[in-house]
Amino acid sequence: MSSIAKLPAILAALEHGLIERGRAVRLALLAALAGEHTLLVGPPGTAKSELARRLHLAFADARYFERLLTRFSVPEELFGPLSISALEQDRYERQTAGFLPQASIAFIDEVFKANSAILNALLTLLNEREFDNGARREACPLISVIGATNEVPEDEVGEAFFDRFLVRMPVAPVSAEGFRALLGLDAQTLPPPFSPLDAADRQALDEAAQRVGVPEAVTARLLELRDYLIAEELYVSDRRWVKLVRLLRVAAASEGRAEVSRWDLWLLPWCVAPDIARQQQVADWLCARLGVREAMSPARLTRVVEAFEAQLEVEQDADDLDYDESGRLRFADEFSDGKHGEAALRMPGRCRRRYGERHIAARVRQIDELAGRLAGYAGELDALRQDLDSYAAQSLWLDQAFAEYAAGHLGGTADALAALRDRTNIARAGFLALPRLSGDPGVEPEPVAYDPLVA
């Protein structure tokens, strides 16, 4: 059985009995498949350790290590005791068997409470999968570390260590509805059986991920996000961007796809933003950008339609001087001031301005071009909504809340576009109903000015 075929059963087993932890379970497993680490941020008693203990079951022959750190923790608790025999031979080495340097999956609770000496040693182990053991550096079989904390410190060492966790997942107590399910949970129910991933599965998935392509549309969106984060003063290291793209490739490869999808970008908030408030900010930005090109955004299109509506109003309200059949200016009746003075002519008569066929045809032609763009964009939106539905139906990783959020945004955009198309049709009918010159083709007017829709 291939790794792709094993994953659905693995996920079902890992999620079994964990109320409202589906997103955390899936992201932790995906991060592990990419060889990355996950940080769970939340209060005690929210199943963080249980998640980590289950994760190691997804990998065949994986050695598990778990430790709760305090400010009094010493390196021996993580890396093993000093070797007495090595000391007798003047070597400073540790017995690492059964400790973190020999673990495949590890859970480190209250990870930021360790002192700087431990955190500095962990930096190399987490990133390079190597441990400095005396005069030699030994390779570590580490697949992934799950870290847990209540809060993230802001000191320099803490920030460097924080950057080693690609996925940062807030974990909160269950909701009111989830609480009902939690109380009714049958702890005796066993999770469904599954076949764990072995070394060959992981190797095959890694090779498949290397072949996954990243389309230009996805790269462009990542560039936009980078610029947005810089403007928001959210620093994301170059190392993190490289790891993020690999995560996207692994997500695609694990679903048998040859390239990254735009919808894989739902993973971005959990990887580029440090806390739940800014993760939601990035998610809002992402939903506003997926499927909505800048030049075709509802706000911009509204301004274009408003330009035509304003022009129509000007032309409907425009007056002209009134001329008689001989071409002379027509005046209103004579009037007197009532004091036996000489009668005077009233001001020239005025009438509604009339327009030639060329003028009206030009206005209709231009508004039809706009209508064509709107219709094309409506087709794009329909295709995007179908694409999202298709992606959600087969995705192992997509968060249902994000899928509903993105679908709602696309639906709202489609509704806004439909309203703009209606307004465009009304404006077109208004131009066709303008008073016309009889027998005079008129002149072609300057086009209605608006921002070009080129993107």
Side-chain angles (χ1 to χ4, degrees), residues 360-437:
I360 293 174
R363 290 283 185 251
V364 171
R365 182 171 61 250
Q366 192 182 10
I367 206 167
D368 283 346
E369 291 175 359
L370 173 61
R373 286 182 177 271
L374 295 179
Y377 187 37
E380 289 181 36
L381 277 176
D382 287 341
L384 280 170
R385 297 171 79 178
Q386 293 175 16
D387 186 45
L388 176 57
D389 289 342
S390 175
Y391 178 91
Q394 59 83 41
S395 178
L396 290 169
W397 314 110
L398 181 63
D399 180 52
Q400 185 62 31
F402 182 88
E404 293 173 357
Y405 189 26
H409 183 269
L410 289 177
T413 302
D415 291 342
L417 183 61
L420 289 174
R421 294 176 71 185
D422 290 341
R423 288 169 62 177
T424 300
N425 290 334
I426 292 171
R428 185 183 190 275
F431 283 118
L432 285 172
L434 288 173
R436 298 175 183 251
L437 293 170

Side-chain angles (χ1 to χ4, degrees), residues 56-254:
H56 100 276
L57 300 175
F59 300 93
D61 302 320
R63 283 171 286 185
Y64 179 70
F65 177 84
E66 179 177 328
R67 193 67 80 236
L68 170 65
L69 298 184
T70 71
R71 57 194 179 97
F72 302 109
S73 295
V74 293
E76 284 75 12
E77 296 180 42
L78 285 173
F79 309 119
L82 292 175
S83 170
I84 302 301
S85 60
L87 284 174
E88 291 174 348
Q89 301 175 35
D90 296 329
R91 298 199 315 273
Y92 188 88
E93 294 181 357
R94 296 185 181 278
Q95 294 280 5
T96 57
F99 289 87
L100 181 58
Q102 295 298 317
S104 304
I105 300 293
F107 175 64
I108 304 178
D109 201 1
E110 298 299 346
V111 66
F112 290 102
K113 288 188 176 178
N115 58 52
S116 59
I118 292 178
L119 291 181
N120 281 324
L122 284 171
L123 287 175
T124 301
L125 197 152
L126 265 62
N127 205 50
E128 280 81 26
R129 275 19 180 230
E130 294 177 331
F131 175 65
D132 290 322
N133 195 359
R136 63 188 175 88
R137 177 170 279 196
E138 69 179 57
C140 302
L142 188 64
I143 296 173
S144 182
V145 167
I146 303 292
T149 185
N150 293 333
E151 57 184 3
V152 178
E154 297 182 356
D155 60 279
E156 185 175 346
V157 175
E159 288 183 359
F161 189 59
F162 184 55
D163 194 53
R164 293 303 193 272
F165 294 94
L166 180 61
V167 175
R168 295 116 167 211
M169 177 57 57
V171 180
V174 297
S175 66
E177 190 62 32
F179 185 67
R180 291 178 180 274
L182 183 66
L183 295 181
L185 189 64
D186 184 359
Q188 303 302 317
T189 304
L190 297 175
F194 64 93
S195 298
L197 300 169
D198 55 29
D201 292 326
R202 293 171 52 215
Q203 179 65 26
L205 183 59
D206 183 67
E207 292 174 355
Q210 294 178 32
R211 297 190 295 269
V212 169
V214 182
E216 176 56 33
V218 171
T219 300
R221 194 64 75 234
L222 292 174
L223 288 169
E224 284 185 48
L225 177 59
R226 183 173 184 267
D227 291 341
Y228 171 77
L229 294 175
I230 290 173
E232 294 293 320
E233 299 183 349
L234 282 176
Y235 173 71
V236 179
S237 66
D238 293 343
R239 173 178 59 229
R240 180 169 288 274
W241 285 113
V242 173
K243 290 177 177 291
L244 173 56
V245 171
R246 170 164 168 72
L247 185 73
L248 296 175
R249 285 192 165 111
V250 170
S254 65

